[in-house]
Amino acid sequence: MNFHDISTRFATMGSGSDAFKALYKDAFELMKHDPENAGLYFLVGIAAQSYVRSYEDQGVTGEFADRAKATLVNFNAKITEALASTPEKRLKLLGEVAIDYEWNVHDF
């Protein structure tokens, strides 16, 4: 399985915590098989894992879950783009996702 497959599967799943859990488990597993890009997978995996840890046992509105999922779908798109880019662009996109997650995502 590659990141494109993981990302596509996440995008087509519902917005429940099971989708986020599958995303982080798959991203972490992919780190073992593609260590050169482990930082990309780790970042999206940590974001998904944080959502699960924060909300797995809580009821959240569908709107909230959909917004969180849209955030990760956007991150996944940048990671997918990064994987097809030069090392310089890959690093730039990784930085963009990290900054966005740290400074603009306040819910998880």
Side-chain angles (χ1 to χ4, degrees):
M1 183 174 290
N2 61 39
F3 189 76
H4 180 266
D5 296 338
I6 292 167
S7 177
T8 300
R9 187 175 72 168
F10 177 73
T12 60
M13 292 178 78
S15 297
S17 62
D18 287 346
F20 292 84
K21 190 180 293 185
L23 176 61
Y24 84 73
K25 287 181 177 184
D26 289 343
F28 291 161
E29 184 65 27
L30 195 53
M31 290 172 63
K32 296 177 194 175
H33 304 287
D34 185 12
E36 290 181 8
N37 294 303
L40 297 167
Y41 310 136
F42 182 75
L43 181 57
V44 75
I46 285 295
Q49 185 181 54
S50 179
Y51 179 87
V52 171
R53 286 184 176 170
S54 297
Y55 301 109
E56 182 175 35
D57 295 333
Q58 297 183 24
V60 298
T61 67
E63 291 174 352
F64 179 84
D66 289 344
R67 277 194 317 273
K69 183 174 179 183
T71 297
L72 286 186
V73 166
N74 182 41
F75 288 172
N76 288 348
K78 285 192 175 191
I79 297 301
T80 299
E81 180 183 353
L83 289 167
S85 298
T86 63
E88 295 81 16
K89 176 111 185 209
R90 186 175 304 156
L91 187 58
K92 180 182 180 295
L93 289 166
L94 175 62
E96 287 177 11
V97 173
I99 288 168
D100 193 18
Y101 181 63
E102 177 62 25
W103 300 110
N104 298 321
V105 177
H106 305 291
D107 296 324
F108 60 94

